């Protein structure tokens, strides 16, 4: 019985540690970045699409909770009905609250 408890505890601990070091998927990252754009820019600007989107170099944030990832590609914004592609190459901090990823400036 003790052996089973140790195995269950070990597996639970391993899964918890793995989750701490996880990063968002591309779709989760796009959703988080889109929400942040909409929060900051309001209803006049919305994200139409992402092009050549990539996450790389993800590592645990030293300044706050979450992961900092280098985001590459471009974002197409609809600004007053006009689509404008903007390069989006910068680090973004992602944190998870209530099961959802959020994007922040690192």
């Amino acid at each position: 019985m003790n052996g089973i408890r140790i195995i269950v505890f070990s597996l639970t601990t391993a899964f918890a540690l793995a989750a701490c070091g996880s990063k968002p998927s591309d779709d989760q990252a796009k959703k988080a970045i889109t929400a942040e754009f909409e929060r900051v820019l309001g209803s006049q600007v919305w994200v139409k699409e992402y092009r050549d989107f990539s996450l790389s170099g993800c590592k645990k944030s030293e300044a706050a909770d979450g992961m900092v990832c280098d985001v590459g590609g471009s974002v197409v914004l609809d600004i007053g009905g006009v689509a404008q592609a903007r390069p989006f190459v910068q680090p973004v901090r992602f944190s998870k609250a209530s099961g959802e990823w959020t994007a922040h400036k690192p």
Side-chain angles (χ1 to χ4, degrees):
M1 193 69 161
N2 247 359
I4 293 173
R5 286 184 186 163
I6 291 171
I7 291 171
V8 170
F9 177 76
S10 297
L11 288 174
T12 304
T13 303
F15 286 129
L17 291 173
C20 291
S22 68
K23 69 173 188 161
S25 68
D26 285 359
D27 287 340
Q28 292 168 326
K30 288 177 189 177
K31 183 178 177 182
I33 292 169
T34 297
E36 183 62 9
F37 265 114
E38 291 172 356
R39 185 188 73 75
V40 171
L41 299 175
S43 62
Q44 299 297 320
V45 177
W46 56 276
V47 175
K48 193 168 182 173
E49 68 178 299
Y50 291 89
R51 297 181 182 158
D52 302 320
F53 186 87
S54 67
L55 289 178
S56 63
C58 295
K59 60 185 180 250
K60 185 169 174 28
S61 173
E62 294 179 16
D65 289 343
M67 303 292 293
V68 175
C69 300
D70 294 324
V71 177
S74 62
V75 60
V76 179
L77 300 173
D78 183 310
I79 303 173
V82 178
Q84 296 183 16
R86 303 285 172 103
F88 192 81
V89 181
Q90 64 187 50
V92 174
R93 181 175 62 86
F94 295 96
S95 65
K96 202 169 194 180
S98 302
E100 294 290 323
W101 287 98
T102 56
H104 318 270
K105 290 185 176 189

